[in-house]
Amino acid sequence: MDVKQPLRIALIPGDGIGRDVVPAARRVLEATGLSFQFVELEAGWETFERTGTALPPETLAAVQGCDGTLFGAVSSPSRRVAGYSSPILALRSALDLYANLRPAISQPVPGSRGGVNLLIVRENTECLYVKREHEEEGGERVIAERVITRHASARIAQMAFQLAQTRAAARPERRPRVTVVHKANVLNLSDGLFRRTALEVAAQYPDVEAEEQLVDSMVYRLIREPQRYDVVVAPNLYGDILSDAAAALVGGLGLAPSANVGAHGVVAEPVHGSAPDIAGQGIANPLACIAAAALLLAHLGEPAAARRIEAAVDVTLSAGVWTPDLGGSATTEDVTRAVMEALAHVPIL
Ligand code: NAI
Ligand code: MG
């Protein structure tokens, strides 16, 4: 084997079950045999309560010095709290992580639909998530701004079509397809710009089939026939909602990973939140975070190690080592050990 520099990975457990699942994923990463240097960092609600900031400057600086980051989950209040802003949103913007990639793949668990292998490519920087809201009429009327730009729409579409090509290389039996999701029939200008820009990009990829779908009928068809989708590209809000729906089709939040990617960084995270209802009980499903760690490796130029982790997750699920969210009685520790054990038997290709 050639001698490689260790991968520098920032670990941000955050709040709640983030503190259970990130250490589990770290152990699985270590069990791949690759060489890592981990940097443990703080962020989140408890950090905010203690220090007055949810993303301390030291955390951001350390993340910027690492090759990639594994983020657990943070608790965010649903009311406005002076001085608090979500650290994951801040990280996405500081590192310009303009794409949120959310694969949804059939899993050997009860409740998972079969034959699903799709990737939602969600725009990660604009739409309603610019969070420009203000009150009028003494709070009786609230205006939220929604921003769509050609620049952001073009680069997310480029990424979607490129990823469709990459996926096709691994699955020659399927013609690659990108589904462009919008609501341009109502939001003629904003979604109209997203749609037009994405379809212009599509013209540069004649080998990839491009189709468009209104977001409401997209939800309907996704649930009726998820097997027909390959890559789905959408503005931020639609992508967020669609990806939670897609996660529900293939085993739920306990299994769903995501990666925030841009030109200068990658932050992988489970889709789920801090799950205060089960925090501290040792029963959180670590597999979403472990799968996120695999996505991280894939984006850091270690696709073979990523595939080995995915294979070990598959072995674990097929063996019925399930946490309560999947109907089983395994603990976080049981599942983590099972994955590490399986990894030891997955061949190094
Ligand atoms: P949630 O994802 O934390 O939990 C939803 C439900 O799924 C709960 O019943 C929970 O027990 C279950 N669940 C989630 N992940 C699980 C896992 N790994 N294993 C077993 N069960 C799991 O979403 P919720 O309840 O809406 O939000 C809780 C907190 O998390 C809020 O403060 C919210 O702001 C925050 N949140 C943070 C996110 C992030 O850090 N990226 C994303 C979503 C929510
Ligand atoms: Mg979400």
Side-chain angles (χ1 to χ4, degrees):
M1 259 167 111
D2 43 339
V3 182
K4 283 191 188 164
Q5 290 292 322
L7 283 173
R8 279 175 62 86
I9 306 290
L11 298 174
I12 306 182
D15 300 309
I17 64 167
R19 301 205 182 144
D20 300 323
V21 299
V22 168
R26 174 187 176 146
R27 285 160 66 200
V28 171
L29 283 171
E30 286 168 335
T32 61
L34 293 176
S35 159
F36 293 102
Q37 201 180 326
F38 292 106
V39 185
E40 300 259 4
L41 299 167
E42 289 196 340
W45 177 250
E46 284 186 23
T47 304
F48 171 75
E49 286 194 308
R50 210 179 50 251
T51 68
T53 168
L55 183 68
E58 311 83 77
T59 295
L60 179 58
V63 162
Q64 283 167 330
C66 285
D67 297 308
T69 299
L70 186 63
F71 187 92
V74 296
S75 301
S76 293
S78 294
R79 60 190 195 285
R80 187 173 273 185
V81 173
Y84 180 85
S85 61
S86 157
I88 189 72
L89 295 182
L91 272 179
R92 286 172 185 167
S93 112
L95 303 177
D96 196 22
L97 304 173
Y98 64 85
N100 192 291
L101 308 182
R102 297 197 178 183
I105 301 170
S106 294
Q107 301 292 339
V109 296
S112 173
R113 307 275 289 271
V116 180
N117 185 346
L118 62 88
L119 175 66
I120 295 177
V121 178
R122 163 185 165 198
E123 203 290 321
N124 218 11
T125 65
E126 54 183 34
C127 188
L128 281 168
Y129 291 63
V130 294
K131 285 184 42 164
R132 285 190 216 138
E133 296 181 298
H134 69 271
E135 291 179 340
E136 295 178 352
E137 299 170 15
E140 295 301 304
R141 186 180 153 87
V142 174
I143 313 290
E145 264 182 73
R146 181 166 187 265
V147 176
I148 300 286
T149 64
R150 175 180 292 281
H151 170 70
S153 305
R155 66 180 178 173
I156 198 69
Q158 291 282 0
M159 182 171 291
F161 281 91
Q162 280 164 16
L163 286 167
Q165 284 180 329
T166 312
R167 285 162 60 83
R171 304 187 308 164
E173 72 286 359
R174 278 186 69 158
R175 173 146 192 245
R177 178 197 281 148
V178 172
T179 307
V180 177
V181 177
H182 60 78
K183 189 75 181 173
N185 56 335
V186 176
L187 298 171
N188 300 153
L189 293 182
S190 53
D191 274 359
L193 178 59
F194 182 85
R195 168 183 180 271
R196 212 165 51 244
T197 307
L199 295 178
E200 279 164 22
V201 169
Q204 301 161 21
Y205 295 84
D207 52 325
V208 180
E209 181 187 342
E211 64 174 11
E212 54 180 307
Q213 184 109 42
L214 297 174
V215 64
D216 44 352
S217 71
M218 178 69 204
V219 174
Y220 181 79
R221 286 192 81 182
L222 180 69
I223 290 166
R224 299 279 291 206
E225 37 171 351
Q227 299 82 0
R228 77 174 294 283
Y229 292 99
D230 179 11
V231 174
V232 175
V233 64
N236 207 338
L237 176 65
Y238 306 152
D240 191 13
I241 297 169
L242 281 172
S243 47
D244 278 28
L249 293 172
V250 291
L253 281 176
L255 300 179
S258 73
N260 302 280
V261 307
H264 311 292
V266 48
V267 176
E269 51 169 337
V271 171
H272 64 72
S274 59
D277 54 336
I278 58 163
Q281 298 179 28
I283 56 165
N285 192 338
L287 292 176
C289 194
I290 289 169
L295 284 183
L296 185 62
L297 289 185
H299 280 273
L300 293 176
E302 295 290 350
R307 278 200 300 275
R308 287 183 67 231
I309 293 178
E310 285 159 2
V313 167
D314 198 73
V315 168
T316 302
L317 289 173
S318 298
V321 185
W322 301 335
T323 40
D325 56 302
L326 297 174
S329 58
T331 62
T332 309
E333 179 64 23
D334 296 334
V335 175
T336 308
R337 278 177 192 269
V339 174
M340 291 166 67
E341 173 85 359
L343 198 55
H345 297 100
V346 176
I348 300 176
L349 298 173

